[in-house]
Amino acid sequence: MKATALIIALLGAAEAVYIPSTGTTSLREEAAKKDILIGSGAINPAYLNDPQFAAVLALQFNSLSPENEGKWSFFNPAEGYYNWTSLDRLVNFAEDSNMVVKGHGLISSCCNPDYVLNITDPTALRAAMTAHFEAFMHRYNGKRVDRWDVVTEALKTQGGGLNANIFYNVLGSGYIADAFRIAQAAGPDAKLFINENLVESLPYKRQELYDLVSGLVADSVPIDGVALQMHITEVAPIPGVITDIVNSYKALGLEVTIAEMDVHTLNATLQTDIYGAVIEEALNAGITDISFWGFTDKHAYTWLPGAKPLMFTERYKPKGAFYATHTALTSFINTP
Ligand code: G3I
């Protein structure tokens, strides 16, 4: 396929959409051969208004997760009031495109509405969590959403204790176990993850997360795995670290995934190399669920001014990061 533009018919739509050709197979095609989920997170359903965005998403990826729309205030801003418009749109898109949805945002330090922030009574907060989790999980259980980030960013960014969010302030450190138990009751068949950042780069924080998670397992808390965000700025994880992380949690009976990878740097070659090295090591370590925090620099969330952290340009042209990921997937030998 040498053409500079590829015409694809949008699923369910009559019009054709022009997107730049990658000149090769899609990521999801290669991933499917090896039973791997390859996904894009950070999907704001409004982006689907852009036919190119929707086309590349459905063509390249077999999973997706919302950016902020699954966080508390986005769909449940007042007690007993739910607005499902955005999330329904995302899940319907996934249904039409045969994609898995990851439920990102059940407990997050961001975006908690006043009615939650004003609760001071532990019983009332647990009741609010139960109502919120049940509403979200019951609506989408069995409809493409089979895994959830139950708690995101429990630990302080640089490590050194738990984030003092509303849940910690009212319930203490036990809020994490509470959240997993409530989630399991609301979605007994779903996979439940703790989602954390920077553990691949900060040894102290890595140990801290391990201590936290192994404590949950020892207390029979229903947790299925650890979702590594893998936001990388300039420096790749030291080779072997991802493998060590996977093995340490495997020994506890848990799965490790990559949930939000992106690479923030102004150096395109370095970015390509990091994408390739991380995906190669992750696959060899046994990770079967990999997501990026978006796929087009048109909608990138970055803290490094000028950085373009994703694998397609603003105009949906594949970058080195795409080809490095594609090569890692095609070269990977899946030995069960
Ligand atoms: O919706 C409000 C809007 O009403 C208000 O006018 C505006 C003013 O700033 O803010 C809007 O909310 C913003 C929201 O994004 C939606 O745009 C928040 O301020 C802003 O903090 C929020 O940023 C998000 C961030 O998480 C905060 O949690 C980013 O979009 C989102 O990409 C980012 O995603 C996180 C993952 O959930 C967890 N892992 C790290 C990742 C990147 O930081």
Side-chain angles (χ1 to χ4, degrees):
M1 214 176 333
K2 215 168 174 261
T4 50
L6 173 70
I7 305 173
I8 69 162
L10 251 192
L11 290 163
E15 78 232 70
V17 180
Y18 291 84
I19 53 175
S21 172
T22 62
T24 185
T25 51
S26 71
L27 297 180
R28 76 179 283 177
E29 225 174 315
E30 295 302 329
K33 291 178 193 164
K34 294 164 189 176
D35 222 8
I36 288 161
L37 281 182
I38 196 88
S40 176
I43 305 297
N44 177 339
Y47 300 160
L48 299 172
N49 293 337
D50 168 356
Q52 286 185 306
F53 182 95
V56 176
L57 175 62
L59 178 69
Q60 294 293 346
F61 301 98
N62 57 14
S63 84
L64 59 78
S65 59
E67 181 162 29
N68 295 305
E69 294 67 24
K71 293 173 187 170
W72 201 310
S73 62
F74 277 76
F75 69 93
N76 180 198
E79 190 175 359
Y81 171 77
Y82 302 94
N83 181 342
W84 301 112
T85 311
S86 286
L87 285 167
D88 278 358
R89 183 169 187 199
L90 205 66
V91 175
N92 290 339
F93 178 85
E95 180 70 41
D96 292 343
S97 312
N98 195 21
M99 301 169 89
V100 165
V101 180
K102 301 180 178 191
H104 175 66
L106 281 170
I107 294 288
S108 160
S109 299
C110 168
C111 316
N112 293 302
D114 286 347
Y115 91 88
V116 173
L117 295 173
N118 290 334
I119 297 175
T120 54
D121 173 55
T123 305
L125 187 55
R126 280 191 206 96
M129 288 162 67
T130 304
H132 181 79
F133 284 26
E134 284 180 351
F136 195 178
M137 297 179 80
H138 289 175
R139 188 170 182 86
Y140 297 114
N141 278 342
K143 285 189 193 149
R144 299 269 152 200
V145 192
D146 67 352
R147 61 201 68 214
W148 298 82
D149 286 338
V150 178
V151 176
T152 294
E153 292 160 9
L155 295 169
K156 291 181 177 164
T157 305
Q158 296 300 318
L162 295 174
N163 265 322
N165 58 27
I166 173 68
F167 308 98
Y168 175 81
N169 290 340
V170 175
L171 299 172
S173 58
Y175 89 86
I176 299 171
D178 287 342
F180 277 92
R181 292 196 170 107
I182 293 168
Q184 209 243 354
D189 298 326
K191 280 193 188 178
L192 305 178
F193 289 90
I194 190 163
N195 168 311
E196 193 50 86
N197 60 30
L198 289 176
V199 291
E200 60 285 342
S201 342
L202 303 175
Y204 177 81
K205 186 170 179 181
R206 181 150 71 244
Q207 185 62 42
E208 215 179 351
L209 181 68
Y210 181 80
D211 293 344
L212 169 61
V213 173
S214 53
L216 295 175
V217 171
D219 291 341
S220 304
V221 172
I223 176 170
D224 294 284
V226 172
L228 305 174
Q229 290 187 6
M230 202 69 72
H231 295 293
I232 297 170
T233 309
E234 298 285 359
V235 183
I238 293 169
V241 164
I242 294 172
T243 311
D244 288 348
I245 293 175
V246 171
N247 290 339
S248 68
Y249 287 108
K250 205 170 167 187
L252 295 176
L254 301 185
E255 176 180 352
V256 172
T257 68
I258 292 181
E260 306 183 11
M261 182 173 164
D262 47 16
V263 180
H264 306 259
T265 171
L266 304 181
N267 180 334
T269 307
L270 177 65
Q271 181 179 65
T272 300
D273 291 348
I274 293 178
Y275 265 86
V278 168
I279 303 303
E280 182 185 350
E281 182 172 337
L283 292 170
N284 286 329
I287 292 180
T288 58
D289 176 350
I290 298 173
S291 287
F292 306 91
W293 202 236
F295 63 92
T296 164
D297 290 328
K298 183 173 182 179
H299 299 298
Y301 180 84
T302 186
W303 37 89
L304 183 66
K308 296 178 187 299
L310 301 171
M311 62 169 82
F312 289 86
T313 68
E314 290 91 335
R315 292 168 171 256
Y316 303 100
K317 272 189 71 178
K319 296 162 55 179
F322 167 85
Y323 291 104
T325 302
H326 189 274
T327 301
L329 273 171
T330 50
S331 326
F332 172 58
I333 298 169
N334 199 1
T335 44

